[in-house]
Amino acid sequence: MPAGEKNYDPNFTQHVIDTCGPTTSPRMKEIFGAAMKALHNFAREIDLTPEEWLVGVQFFNETGKIWAEPEGKRNEMHRLSDITGLESLVTEIANYVQTDDPNYSPTSAAILGPFWSPNAPWRQLGDSIIQDPHSGTVTYMHGIIRDLKTQQPIPNATFDMWQASSNGKYDFQDFPNQSDNNLRGKYKTDAKGEYRLYCLRPTAYSLPQDGPSWQLLQALDRHPMRPAHIHLMVTHDEYKPVVTQIYPKDDPWLSTDTVFAVKDDLVVDFVPIKDIPASMSEHKGPGGAATRELHLDIVLAPKGMAAHSGPKL
């Protein structure tokens, strides 16, 4: 045994794995086995003490207590998965697509986050998602959704988007300042694969500064900021969906996003607006006329090109 190496039981971890019963599914045994090897090796590597182990137990107990609160709206374990990069990693694995042309790839995926709503209203092309007063910058946003293989426009695709208001809060966090479905909307692309709408140039905001996730960020000397972003969910029956976020290129938090969701192709430019096309009516909602424009095209991969589909447990 090399000097300094500790003679821990070399068979212990495999014994734990081998206690799985005969009806354990192959995938479950694969997951459990890999997790136990990583977890046990972690404990051995740092010589985890009983006191440190108990602190960890208490930490996860507190995480569960937040989810069990009466309103049940804050999924703290989801938040921990985000700030440790796990959700971003799982998103990358699940959305990997092999392409022949390295210069033309599907739009990158990013984490869904906890604020998507299935109840966002359908809106007409050209309509605004802005319902309530704000101090943000009204933006004309438009683009074409295209097929990865043919590069042709995709008509009748669903473009679902949501964002925080200029105070960094989403609608259901912010009563009475925001009405239900403020800054949310679903659109169908036209025959040319185009969507067009009014929204806000997004605002950066902080994750909650309390609870276990905040304790971990403090222990790691990390900030809780998310760069300004707009959430997108783009779907069509014949294509692999894209769930993603887009970010202004001048945001100061891009390189240190606390949930590690920024990718190069998701960084965009909100430029001064020049002309409102004839297909758009002038914005009439709160905040006045649009002063910025965002042109954003989206590329979807046909469903047959999906390279990964995790087996069931």
Side-chain angles (χ1 to χ4, degrees):
M1 180 174 65
E5 185 173 320
K6 299 174 179 65
N7 190 24
Y8 295 132
D9 182 353
N11 301 314
F12 177 74
T13 298
Q14 190 60 49
H15 173 63
V16 172
I17 295 169
D18 289 343
T19 59
C20 293
T23 63
T24 306
S25 73
R27 179 61 172 172
M28 184 63 213
K29 191 165 185 177
E30 179 184 17
I31 291 172
F32 181 74
M36 290 307 99
K37 289 174 184 176
L39 183 62
H40 288 195
N41 286 338
F42 148 75
R44 294 186 187 99
E45 179 182 348
I46 65 168
D47 293 323
L48 188 68
T49 69
E51 294 78 15
E52 291 166 337
W53 163 77
L54 187 56
V55 167
V57 170
Q58 293 170 338
F59 180 85
F60 285 108
N61 282 344
E62 289 302 313
T63 298
K65 286 179 182 178
I66 288 182
W67 178 242
E69 288 176 352
E71 61 272 14
K73 290 183 177 180
R74 179 165 160 184
N75 190 334
E76 190 72 356
M77 193 65 215
H78 191 160
R79 189 82 70 195
L80 288 171
S81 292
D82 286 348
I83 67 174
T84 57
L86 181 59
E87 187 180 5
S88 286
L89 178 58
V90 170
T91 298
E92 179 184 17
I93 294 168
N95 290 276
Y96 177 78
V97 174
Q98 184 69 44
T99 59
D100 297 326
D101 183 355
N103 298 314
Y104 197 73
S105 301
T107 299
S108 293
I111 65 173
L112 175 65
F115 299 117
W116 175 75
S117 170
N119 302 316
W122 287 100
R123 302 186 191 270
Q124 297 297 313
L125 288 177
D127 284 353
S128 176
I129 63 171
I130 306 167
Q131 299 173 178
D132 301 319
H134 60 88
S135 59
T137 301
V138 178
T139 297
Y140 164 49
M141 181 176 176
H142 64 104
I144 295 175
I145 300 175
R146 299 183 184 275
D147 183 302
L148 172 65
K149 295 184 72 174
T150 67
Q151 302 186 20
Q152 293 300 305
I154 304 174
N156 206 40
T158 297
F159 187 86
D160 184 356
M161 65 178 294
W162 62 103
Q163 64 178 141
S165 190
S166 53
N167 62 0
K169 295 182 179 181
Y170 293 84
D171 54 354
F172 61 82
Q173 296 176 308
D174 199 26
F175 179 83
N177 297 314
Q178 296 187 56
S179 56
D180 287 346
N181 293 317
N182 182 47
L183 298 172
R184 298 179 185 273
K186 292 183 288 194
Y187 299 82
K188 287 288 189 181
T189 56
D190 62 17
K192 297 180 180 179
E194 185 182 9
Y195 69 90
R196 49 191 179 271
L197 54 98
Y198 291 103
C199 62
L200 293 181
R201 190 186 191 281
T203 301
Y205 62 80
S206 171
L207 298 187
Q209 295 185 26
D210 66 343
S213 59
W214 175 236
Q215 292 171 10
L216 180 59
L217 288 174
Q218 287 182 301
L220 299 175
D221 190 24
R222 280 174 47 190
H223 67 73
M225 296 301 296
R226 291 241 49 219
H229 58 279
I230 297 174
H231 290 269
L232 305 176
M233 182 183 294
V234 186
T235 57
H236 187 285
D237 288 345
E238 298 176 11
Y239 294 86
K240 185 175 177 62
V242 167
V243 178
T244 196
Q245 303 173 21
I246 54 172
Y247 310 88
K249 71 175 187 179
D250 59 351
D251 190 282
W253 307 107
L254 291 177
S255 63
T256 57
D257 175 18
T258 197
V259 303
F260 307 101
V262 178
K263 298 181 175 66
D264 289 346
D265 68 313
L266 303 179
V267 178
V268 299
D269 196 8
F270 291 77
V271 300
I273 197 166
K274 293 182 179 179
D275 297 302
I276 298 291
S279 60
M280 297 285 290
S281 59
E282 189 70 21
H283 178 254
K284 303 296 184 182
T291 59
R292 287 290 185 271
E293 177 180 0
L294 173 61
H295 180 194
L296 176 73
D297 292 340
I298 301 291
V299 178
L300 299 184
K303 283 187 173 178
M305 292 188 67
H308 176 83
S309 178
K312 296 180 180 179
L313 298 181

